[in-house]
Amino acid sequence: MQSSNGRHFGAGNGPGSSADNQEEQSVTSRDVRQEDPWHDTLTAGWGELDGAGMPAPAAVPRPRGEAERETAEARARDVYLAVQQSEAFQEVRSRYRRFVVPGAAAFLVWYVGYVITATAAPGLMARPVIGAVNVGMLAGLGQFASTFLLTWAYARHARLRRDRPALELRWDTQELTRGVQGGIS
């Protein structure tokens, strides 16, 4: 068998034995530098004691350039706030609300009406329509049908009315954020 670094390993006493692998790993692990910025910091509560016998808070190292990163993040936040207040964003949100609020209200009324009718008028729901199929069964199947219909209508509305402007707005926002951050990621 061969590992990802090209060295052979396996069981037995040959060149891929466990002892050889442990020796190779200990040699290479000393040469590998940890890129984790938290590698050398103490875990909270595991520091040395301060003068009062309480654990001293662990010092968090500040990476180089953090002040520049914070100002770039603040400028990026300003970009998102400006986009949120823009006319294009408000139009996308209003298109969303104009569909979702009436759709959710109509579906909620239909669902609650079904439940109330089923509990308050069992005779109506038990009235046969065709053979063993009664009004309650048709109304229950209507719940499923209306769920699928509302889902289809929502997806269609999103595709035709909101997806393109939202995608353009997202693209513009990312371009503005990249320009403000200046390559800091």
Side-chain angles (χ1 to χ4, degrees):
M1 219 190 242
Q2 190 171 8
S3 68
S4 62
N5 62 2
R7 296 185 182 152
H8 293 283
F9 64 92
N13 295 329
S17 70
S18 178
D20 291 339
N21 282 340
Q22 287 177 356
E23 183 179 317
E24 286 179 16
Q25 287 176 357
S26 65
V27 170
T28 58
S29 66
R30 279 182 263 145
D31 298 336
V32 175
R33 165 137 169 77
Q34 291 286 341
E35 296 298 326
D36 184 9
W38 302 101
H39 179 70
D40 293 330
T41 58
L42 297 172
T43 305
W46 289 79
E48 298 180 11
L49 300 178
D50 63 1
M54 299 297 293
V60 178
R62 282 183 75 117
R64 286 180 284 171
E66 186 170 322
E68 294 86 18
R69 185 174 297 120
E70 287 176 359
T71 58
E73 288 174 0
R75 289 185 301 226
R77 270 184 253 126
D78 293 339
V79 166
Y80 282 105
L81 288 174
V83 167
Q84 184 180 8
Q85 295 168 354
S86 72
E87 185 66 34
F89 183 82
Q90 295 303 322
E91 179 63 27
V92 170
R93 293 297 296 167
S94 70
R95 287 179 183 180
Y96 172 77
R97 285 187 198 110
R98 281 192 305 249
F99 181 85
V100 169
V101 171
F107 187 78
L108 187 62
V109 166
W110 161 231
Y111 175 74
V112 171
Y114 169 74
V115 172
I116 289 173
T117 306
T119 56
L124 173 67
M125 297 299 261
R127 183 174 295 159
V129 176
I130 300 172
V133 178
N134 59 21
V135 173
M137 289 177 150
L138 290 178
L141 291 174
Q143 291 287 314
F144 286 106
S146 64
T147 301
F148 290 118
L149 180 67
L150 186 63
T151 303
W152 170 80
Y154 177 81
R156 183 176 184 276
H157 180 268
R159 186 181 69 244
L160 295 177
R161 305 260 191 268
R162 290 193 330 264
D163 284 352
R164 177 142 334 258
L167 188 61
E168 290 171 0
L169 190 61
R170 178 180 177 195
W171 183 260
D172 293 342
T173 303
Q174 288 177 350
E175 289 296 317
L176 288 171
T177 304
R178 280 191 201 111
V180 166
Q181 287 180 339
I184 296 176
S185 54

